[in-house]
Amino acid sequence: MLDTARIRPDFPLLARQENGQRLVYLDNAATSQKPRKVIEAIVHYYTFHNANVHRGAYALAVEATDAYEAARTAVARFVNAWAREGVVFTRGTTESINLVAASWGRTNVRRGDTVVVTAMDHHSNIVPWQILCQEKGATLRMVEITGDGRIDLADFGRALEAKPKLVAFPYVSNSLGTVNPAAQLIKLAHSAGAVTVVDGAQSSPHLQVDVQELDCDFYALSGHKMLAPMGSGALIAKPALLEAMPPYHGGGEMIERVWDDRSSWNKIPHKFEGGTPNVEAAVGLGAAIAYLEQLGMERVAAHEQELARIAVDRLSQIDGVTVYGPPDHRAGVVPFTYGDIHPHDLATILDKDGVCIRAGHHCTQPLMRRLGVAATARASFYIYNDVDDIDALVTAVRKAGELFGVPA
Amino acid sequence: MSSPPPDLSELYQQVILDHNRNPRNFKRIESAKCKAEGNNPLCGDRIQLYVQLDDDTISDVGFQMPQGSGCAISKASASLMTEAVKGKRIGDAEEMFEAFRTMLAGGANAPGKLAAFSGVRAFPSRIKCANLAWHALHAALQGSAAPVTTESARDF
Ligand SMILES: Cc1ncc(COP(=O)(O)O)c(C=O)c1O
């Protein structure tokens, strides 16, 4: 496992006390804390290099542009993108998916076509496709999940019989922790003639990702879940697809020439980056990637999987606790319920002991309906969490049981 | 900056735990003229409220929460509310709502058992849960057809 005693001091916020207790931050699937290196990179950028990018003819502007483009190179390397030009900076996964829906989707999806998503998708990988399908008169087909929280491969196969134009799914589920067999799903989708969109919001922070090996067409990620600032993120795509797509936002930077009545477009990826970008976010994302690469993503994944295994084990020993998600192929996400204590009450009680977990539907209402629950409690781990955090979690959960008198 | 940590036993007072476990007036009233649905999208709390009027008196009131969709605070609040307003006139019920709201906003305690919710003040993230049933009641009495949601109610 990772040496958390050396990692924790890198995260200033973790020194904070909560209700007089050590802060036990277990809501990493929502957003991660930030290491000093990332915070300093942002301060450094504004202290020494700030200027608008891609436009100034002076040295400072060149420095800002270099910092921004260096971050693009870092993202490309981090997920093994097809090319630097295939990395479009966005505000995060949500914007990346909306970009694909608005640009590729509007151009290629027609009346009568099918778009496929899964019942474990986050709202941000469902709603943009609902909007697109409603606009186009296309059909949205939601693939079912199995009882133990995996994509139902038989139903996936049936969905592909409609020859969908596009298939979207999460590499890792934020509500179940399931690590989906992405390469296999992509291969199946391709043989049915579909373009594939992988929601990488939960895989990018936690797994070694290689988009070329996956062979997906689009891959979306959020920086804030992987140590980087909020508002940082990227869409990674096969460059040929981006070349053929119309722009997303019109404005400065994305044009080549503007006539009175029409324009021509800049090269990719700039064609999709209209307006002044969030350079600070990109610089922070670059620093976050450097931090993660130093740890090594394979070790990061192993660390979290071990924590999840221990947490599942320990929570399951409490009478009345139900843990959701598959027994194996699980990332560091542990959703659970406890007797008839509402998850919202659990979260309030745990918070008293400084333990931060999430309670609710986790932006996956279709999944909650299938699990037959209104909400779950969710603990999710990252590089700075350790077994002490699990102890604190389990102790606080037991306390909640006592307070509510859950029959043992 | 840091005030003394709020105590859980003030939030989860015995009367609240009791009404959570055994909610009163937990029933559907088919013939009710006034109905309203309340929704707290934050935690997925959902309530169906049924109000039977006899002139301007609340002759009966019941509520339902779909399986698992009510946290202890919202369920106990709904239960205690039904007890408090049953047999009261519309105007008096609206006054209680006002008093309840004022209490949660930091004002004086609401009358009777409703004061049990004064501890919610120290847990800002739970105020919506406590108010949900009251907003539904208000909507039902106003004859409003649209479901109320705590995200659009103004006093949060
Ligand atoms: C699986 C998954 N997809 C998409 C998102 C949306 O990410 P963001 O809000 O950063 O755009 C999230 C984050 O909550 C997520 O967990």
Side-chain angles (χ1 to χ4, degrees):
Chain A
M1 289 179 81
L2 295 171
D3 185 356
T4 51
R6 290 189 51 182
I7 291 172
R8 289 182 68 90
D10 290 344
F11 291 78
L13 190 138
L14 295 180
R16 195 191 134 122
Q17 301 247 311
E18 204 60 39
N19 293 323
Q21 320 241 15
R22 182 174 75 92
L23 178 75
V24 178
Y25 185 76
L26 298 178
D27 195 16
N28 294 286
T31 199
S32 76
Q33 298 305 338
K34 320 302 173 198
R36 200 169 268 117
K37 282 262 171 50
V38 167
I39 299 168
E40 280 168 2
I42 298 166
V43 172
H44 184 88
Y45 168 73
Y46 281 122
T47 311
F48 298 106
H49 304 299
N50 178 54
N52 211 326
V53 292
H54 295 133
R55 3 197 131 162
Y58 45 90
L60 190 61
V62 174
E63 283 172 31
T65 305
D66 285 351
Y68 184 61
E69 292 302 326
R72 196 186 309 277
T73 306
V75 174
R77 186 184 60 235
F78 187 65
V79 297
N80 195 26
W82 294 272
R84 285 186 75 257
E85 297 71 43
V87 177
V88 179
F89 280 125
T90 64
R91 286 190 291 129
T93 303
T94 302
E95 188 177 36
S96 297
I97 294 170
N98 276 277
L99 191 165
V100 179
S103 173
W104 191 93
R106 280 231 181 98
T107 312
N108 293 285
V109 174
R110 303 204 167 77
R111 170 170 292 280
D113 284 347
T114 299
V115 170
V116 171
V117 297
T118 75
M120 68 165 77
D121 269 295
H122 187 279
H123 295 164
S124 67
N125 205 20
I126 296 175
V127 181
W129 307 119
Q130 288 177 340
I131 293 172
L132 175 71
C133 288
Q134 279 161 14
E135 180 185 314
K136 294 292 183 178
T139 303
L140 187 67
R141 167 71 153 87
M142 189 171 273
V143 174
E144 292 302 328
I145 55 161
T146 61
D148 66 351
R150 301 168 206 264
I151 291 174
D152 182 338
L153 290 177
D155 197 45
F156 190 77
R158 284 192 292 277
L160 294 182
E161 285 167 14
K163 299 280 171 219
K165 275 282 167 69
L166 180 141
V167 172
F169 65 88
Y171 194 166
V172 173
S173 155
N174 67 305
S175 279
L176 293 165
T178 318
V179 179
N180 289 310
Q184 182 192 355
L185 297 175
I186 290 160
K187 206 164 173 195
L188 290 168
H190 280 167
S191 51
V195 156
T196 51
V197 176
V198 175
D199 173 351
Q202 296 295 341
S203 47
S204 312
H206 310 294
L207 301 179
Q208 175 88 54
V209 172
D210 184 330
V211 293
Q212 293 192 56
E213 201 176 291
L214 290 177
D215 193 34
C216 58
D217 299 290
F218 297 100
Y219 182 91
L221 65 80
S222 295
H224 71 93
K225 295 181 197 283
M226 46 183 281
L227 311 181
M230 292 189 170
S232 64
L235 172 69
I236 295 99
K238 287 180 175 163
L241 282 166
L242 291 179
E243 296 278 9
M245 282 157 55
Y248 174 49
H249 288 151
E253 191 52 43
M254 49 76 67
I255 48 82
E256 178 191 54
R257 286 191 69 186
V258 176
W259 289 272
D260 285 5
D261 59 345
R262 77 206 138 82
S263 302
S264 59
W265 314 134
N266 200 342
K267 301 189 299 282
I268 64 164
H270 310 294
K271 180 168 83 175
F272 297 101
E273 293 182 2
T276 299
N278 191 343
V279 179
E280 149 197 341
V283 167
L285 179 54
I289 287 172
Y291 190 96
L292 288 170
E293 283 177 339
Q294 209 183 351
L295 293 176
M297 287 309 290
E298 265 152 25
R299 290 173 65 217
V300 168
H303 178 77
E304 293 167 14
Q305 279 159 19
E306 180 64 3
L307 288 177
R309 191 189 62 71
I310 297 169
V312 169
D313 207 46
R314 300 271 311 273
L315 287 170
S316 307
Q317 284 168 18
I318 303 175
D319 275 336
V321 166
T322 306
V323 176
Y324 299 86
D328 51 1
H329 300 287
R330 180 199 286 274
V333 176
V334 180
F336 64 98
T337 52
Y338 186 12
D340 58 3
I341 307 180
H342 193 279
H344 209 177
D345 294 309
L346 263 180
T348 296
I349 297 165
L350 268 56
D351 184 38
K352 272 289 295 170
D353 283 354
V355 180
C356 309
I357 60 155
R358 182 64 150 249
H361 52 64
H362 317 292
C363 298
T364 52
Q365 289 180 9
L367 176 67
M368 293 292 126
R369 281 195 293 276
R370 283 160 177 84
L371 295 178
V373 295
T376 64
R378 178 187 72 184
S380 53
F381 304 105
Y382 210 15
I383 52 176
Y384 32 71
N385 294 121
D386 54 20
V387 177
D388 287 350
D389 295 339
I390 297 177
D391 287 339
L393 169 71
V394 170
T395 304
V397 169
R398 286 190 187 278
K399 263 192 207 169
E402 281 160 28
L403 183 68
F404 272 74
V406 176
Chain B
M1 196 183 93
S2 62
S3 45
D7 198 68
L8 275 181
S9 58
E10 273 164 39
L11 178 64
Y12 295 111
Q13 297 189 15
Q14 276 312 322
V15 56
I16 292 181
L17 291 174
D18 170 44
H19 277 255
N20 173 50
R21 212 165 297 132
N22 306 302
R24 322 292 199 268
N25 300 305
F26 196 66
K27 62 182 179 189
R28 183 192 193 99
I29 303 173
E30 287 299 346
S31 58
K33 286 262 163 38
C34 305
K35 291 181 203 154
E37 191 183 315
N39 223 324
N40 177 356
L42 208 70
C43 51
D45 289 338
R46 268 164 53 209
I47 181 173
Q48 288 282 355
L49 191 74
Y50 308 90
V51 184
Q52 190 76 276
L53 288 179
D54 186 0
D55 264 347
D56 69 344
T57 299
I58 298 173
S59 56
D60 199 8
V61 53
F63 77 102
Q64 297 243 279
M65 287 182 150
Q67 178 65 31
S69 71
C71 65
I73 304 300
S74 64
K75 197 189 266 180
S77 177
S79 174
L80 280 153
M81 177 190 81
T82 58
E83 277 196 333
V85 302
K86 206 175 195 172
K88 297 285 187 313
R89 302 169 75 142
I90 292 178
D92 296 336
E94 294 280 14
E95 257 174 41
M96 278 186 209
F97 178 27
E98 210 41 59
F100 193 76
R101 218 155 41 164
T102 304
M103 172 177 72
L104 293 187
N109 280 0
K113 285 190 194 167
L114 297 179
F117 291 93
S118 59
V120 178
R121 284 189 293 227
F123 295 82
S125 66
R126 308 306 299 275
I127 289 177
K128 287 180 184 191
C129 311
N131 264 336
L132 179 65
W134 288 94
H135 279 287
L137 176 71
H138 180 68
L141 293 176
Q142 301 271 308
S144 148
V148 292
T149 142
T150 52
E151 294 305 293
S152 62
R154 266 173 309 151
D155 63 331
F156 297 114

